[in-house]
Amino acid sequence: MESASVLRYLEGKTILVTGGTGFLGMVFLEKILRVQPDVKKIYLLLRSSDTKSATKRMNNEIIGKELFRVLKEKRGADFDSFISKKIVALPGDVTSENLGVKELTQREQMYKEIEIIFNCAATTNFDERYDIALDVNAFGVLHVMNFAKKCLRLEMFLHVSTAYVCGERGGLLLEDSSSMDEMIKKMTKFDFEAVEKKLVKEKLNELKAQGASQEVVTNTMKDFGIERAKVYGWPNTYVFTKAMAEIFLGRVKDNLPHVVIRPTVVTSTYKEPFPGWIQGFRTIDSVIASYYKGNLPCLLVDPMLVFDMIPVDMVVNSIITSMAVNANKSSSIIYHVGTSLRNPVKFCDIHSIIFKYCTENPWIKKDGTIVKAGKLTMFKTMASFQMYMRIRYMIPLQL
């Protein structure tokens, strides 16, 4: 589909965005405002107590970011009035019924206006507290979908999932729900939603009766999430609850035009609005930063393993295009958005690039000391890694 056709589709549209303070949500918002200024309205759902605090949060945590620099330069003195005209900062929460939108008149207006829903609200911590991950990643999707069903002019419901709902399988992974078939079979034997809610409630009540501290509660609920994930065959709480969300969507979507986007590891911008913008430390970034600062001499990874990364602006381009292509179609579509098929990058390649950069642009500490990054030692097996740790650290410490 031609880019001009995609932009024409967005013209005059009213969009609801959840997860707008997240990395992907911000880049999506900036892109829409920059390339299609004739979008009618964007409802931006923000976890806030009222409209005033929602607006403040929008200005501080989204619009005030360096990401919006190009748009600010483009709009000039008109920027603030443009933002206030196009964006409605909406206090609410995906974990609540009606998305936490309290005023009936506001909800009814949204039901009449909204044509596109972009749902990317999520907690992306691999070991998030199980109660929080369930509320946001799984049950939150049900709340957004129930809201969508009331929108009279809805043309597109797009949900952001993750490629890792496919679990730990290798090879070519299809754009379907086959990776979740076993989980679906288990879920159909009982009221899965009620059971998991009950287990969470019982665990929290147990901790309360014990007088557990907040730290103990947090750590226990994190461990409980990993435990429940492994029962169903998933490695961590994040991908488990995202898989759960896709299953819920499949159950309740009815005939709504519905797209699921499954990106791999999302990294900094490639081109738009400018190269290299990123929000915080993400999956691979913490590893790179530790190595850059001289704190990571080795890594347990096969150097020939392909690590699938995709720049965030490419993900957003895929999202916008899939909205335009699939609008008003009753079928469900799943898209994997990654690079490993067309442009695979191995860990050894990543290391070579990082090593070259660190050598040419070394990290300088506050005291002026230059950190010289050495070659990273990579271990293919746990046995070789444990042997290295024993010889390099354990034995000297014992001595």
Side-chain angles (χ1 to χ4, degrees), residues 4-55:
S5 301
V6 175
L7 295 183
R8 277 197 300 273
Y9 169 71
L10 294 171
E11 186 176 349
K13 290 291 187 286
T14 297
I15 306 171
L16 169 63
V17 176
T18 71
T21 57
F23 181 44
L24 191 56
M26 276 193 274
V27 177
F28 173 83
L29 181 66
E30 191 278 339
K31 170 88 177 189
I32 296 290
L33 294 172
R34 177 166 46 82
V35 302
Q36 184 44 281
D38 293 325
V39 64
K40 184 178 180 181
K41 186 189 296 184
I42 299 175
Y43 285 104
L44 195 58
L45 190 74
L46 298 166
R47 193 178 293 170
S48 305
S49 56
D50 53 39
T51 302
K52 184 178 179 181
S53 57
T55 303

Side-chain angles (χ1 to χ4, degrees), residues 10 24 60 76 84 93 100 106 130 154 174 228 232 313 352 371:
L10 294 171
L24 191 56
N60 292 342
S84 62
D93 196 330
Q106 176 73 82
Y130 190 43
L154 193 71
L174 301 178
R228 295 305 298 165
Y232 290 94
D313 48 334
S352 297
V371 176

Side-chain angles (χ1 to χ4, degrees), residues 12 34 39 64 89 97 108 147 250-252 307 309 364 377:
R34 177 166 46 82
V39 64
E97 291 290 337
E108 288 179 342
F147 192 92
R251 284 183 176 181
V252 303
F307 186 71
M309 298 180 289
I364 302 174
T377 305

